[in-house]
Amino acid sequence: MSEDVYYGIFDDLIGKHLRDSLIYRYDAQKNNHEYTPFRHHYDPNTERLLGEFMRKYIFMYAYSESEVIKANEKGRLRDLEKAAKFALEERLPRRKGASNGLYSELLLDLLITLYTNNVNKLATRAIYRQHSDNQEIKGYDGLHISVDSQENKNLWLGQAKMGRRSYCVSDIKKDLNGKANMLYTADQLFFIADKEERTLPKALELLEMINDVSWDNRTLSIDERATKLSELFEKENVNVFFICLLAYDRPSIYELEDKLDNEILEEIKSIQSTYEEEFKDLISNEYEVLLWVIPIRDLQLLRESMGI
């Protein structure tokens, strides 16, 4: 399968160097929502190394799975630094400063790829331009589709924040309450489904269904088209996951290595208390909210190490 080829390439170039050596994932905890804590390794060089691997991942972030497979066959990924530079020049918008959303969006995509094995990248914000103003598409920070061995279809709608803890926590609330509705979701999915040809076959099948809904109902109102998409999700048993990454500066957690695990678990308890009463009625379809939390000791060093 093409998915296996893609994930093999990723694991050889990126994944095996990160998994359980630079980034550690704890077991998820679930109440109203699912919370998954991460931490990076205790070593003081970890942020630098993680930043370097995030930079090396830029090509795989900016290009579809099928394009990555083709680039690898042509030998273009032998030097990931050159590949990343090419992607920055040809595919990614020229954002600057600490508010550059590329850092958080790329880390979210990297973690999804690192800790899942069947998710197809539908779109990152960088791949497309809006027809209204030719700017990068506004919307979710990542769109992914997965189809499992039982042919269950999953739609992943990603939001990512990186910065101060208070900013990450409050802005994820704003994002989900503002974006997580069928009107917003339908608008972005119809836009993407009309253009996407490079994703892998199983994801493309669902995209074609979404595009059919858009075409067949193009004379209806925006609300009516969104309702038609919701009906498609119900008919096809599409599971919707809102996956939210909070990557924030929290050096105090890393003060003592022997207390690190407990500090991470306490941090998750604090995050849980913040969100448990939020996000009750986001959309009419079945959905889950997944919050991925990774405190970072030195966020500035991580950004600087990406070299962008």
Side-chain angles (χ1 to χ4, degrees):
M1 291 177 60
S2 298
E3 288 93 339
D4 296 333
V5 174
Y6 173 78
Y7 275 94
I9 295 168
F10 166 79
D11 205 55
D12 183 55
L13 298 177
I14 303 288
K16 68 182 181 183
H17 304 287
L18 293 180
R19 194 179 293 108
D20 298 332
S21 59
L22 285 178
I23 301 177
Y24 180 75
R25 179 185 184 179
Y26 293 79
D27 292 335
Q29 301 181 35
K30 191 167 185 177
N31 290 355
N32 291 341
H33 319 297
E34 182 173 298
Y35 301 83
T36 301
F38 298 82
R39 68 168 170 86
H40 60 66
H41 192 54
Y42 186 78
D43 187 278
N45 290 317
T46 299
E47 290 90 343
R48 178 181 59 80
L49 290 172
L50 179 56
E52 290 175 0
F53 274 107
M54 286 173 65
R55 183 175 69 249
K56 291 177 180 179
Y57 181 69
I58 287 174
F59 186 92
M60 303 184 82
Y61 164 77
Y63 287 76
S64 68
E65 289 91 345
S66 58
E67 291 174 307
V68 169
I69 293 170
K70 183 181 293 185
N72 188 64
E73 290 172 349
K74 291 179 176 289
R76 294 173 180 168
L77 303 186
R78 292 194 187 103
D79 188 331
L80 287 176
E81 296 288 356
K82 288 183 179 179
K85 183 178 180 182
F86 185 87
L88 282 167
E89 293 173 350
E90 299 297 328
R91 282 286 176 96
L92 297 181
R94 287 166 174 76
R95 309 181 207 164
K96 294 181 179 179
S99 60
N100 184 347
L102 175 60
Y103 300 105
S104 57
E105 294 161 20
L106 189 145
L107 182 58
L108 172 62
D109 194 78
L110 174 58
L111 291 175
I112 288 174
T113 307
L114 187 63
Y115 288 108
T116 64
N117 58 9
N118 68 342
V119 173
N120 302 151
K121 189 196 320 295
L122 171 54
T124 60
R125 280 177 50 185
I127 291 178
Y128 297 106
R129 292 287 185 264
Q130 298 182 133
H131 46 68
S132 58
D133 56 10
N134 202 37
Q135 297 298 308
E136 62 180 295
I137 186 172
K138 304 300 189 294
Y140 296 106
D141 294 334
L143 295 173
H144 297 73
I145 288 174
S146 63
V147 181
D148 63 25
S149 57
Q150 283 76 45
E151 299 301 313
N152 296 312
K153 302 177 182 67
N154 304 309
L155 177 65
W156 302 62
L157 307 173
Q159 287 297 131
K161 298 296 175 186
M162 180 179 286
R164 299 185 310 276
R165 184 182 188 272
S166 58
Y167 157 76
C168 293
V169 169
S170 63
D171 274 45
I172 284 293
K173 283 185 182 181
K174 292 177 185 176
D175 278 353
L176 279 189
N177 286 320
K179 295 180 179 180
N181 59 70
M182 191 49 68
L183 279 175
Y184 191 96
T185 300
D187 189 49
Q188 190 174 19
L189 283 176
F190 288 152
F191 180 88
I192 295 295
D194 184 51
K195 300 165 181 61
E196 181 59 77
E197 297 179 350
R198 294 168 296 191
T199 194
L200 298 177
K202 286 188 175 181
L204 190 58
E205 181 181 346
L206 179 56
L207 273 184
E208 288 173 350
M209 292 180 189
I210 293 170
N211 201 25
D212 287 343
V213 171
S214 180
W215 273 88
D216 294 345
N217 300 283
R218 60 190 180 279
T219 60
L220 300 182
S221 69
I222 295 174
D223 290 53
E224 290 171 316
R225 294 176 82 210
T227 298
K228 293 294 185 181
L229 183 62
S230 180
E231 291 171 355
L232 172 69
F233 285 178
E234 291 178 5
K235 177 184 175 183
E236 295 295 325
N237 296 314
V238 176
N239 303 305
V240 180
F241 296 94
F242 296 103
I243 182 168
C244 306
L245 175 68
L246 290 80
Y248 52 82
D249 205 319
R250 199 69 159 175
S252 60
I253 286 178
Y254 294 90
E255 286 181 355
L256 298 172
E257 184 173 12
D258 59 353
K259 293 186 177 180
L260 178 54
D261 289 353
N262 187 63
E263 290 287 342
I264 294 290
L265 295 178
E266 288 299 316
E267 189 69 11
I268 277 293
K269 289 179 182 178
S270 173
I271 295 290
Q272 281 180 301
S273 67
T274 302
Y275 287 124
E276 276 308 284
E277 296 305 314
E278 299 286 338
F279 320 134
K280 289 182 179 178
D281 300 299
L282 297 177
I283 59 175
S284 58
N285 296 82
E286 291 294 321
Y287 68 91
E288 290 188 40
V289 176
L290 313 179
L291 291 126
W292 287 7
V293 180
I294 177 168
I296 297 172
R297 177 175 41 199
D298 191 337
L299 202 54
Q300 185 59 30
L301 177 58
L302 176 66
R303 288 185 173 128
E304 291 174 353
S305 299
M306 282 192 66
I308 59 172

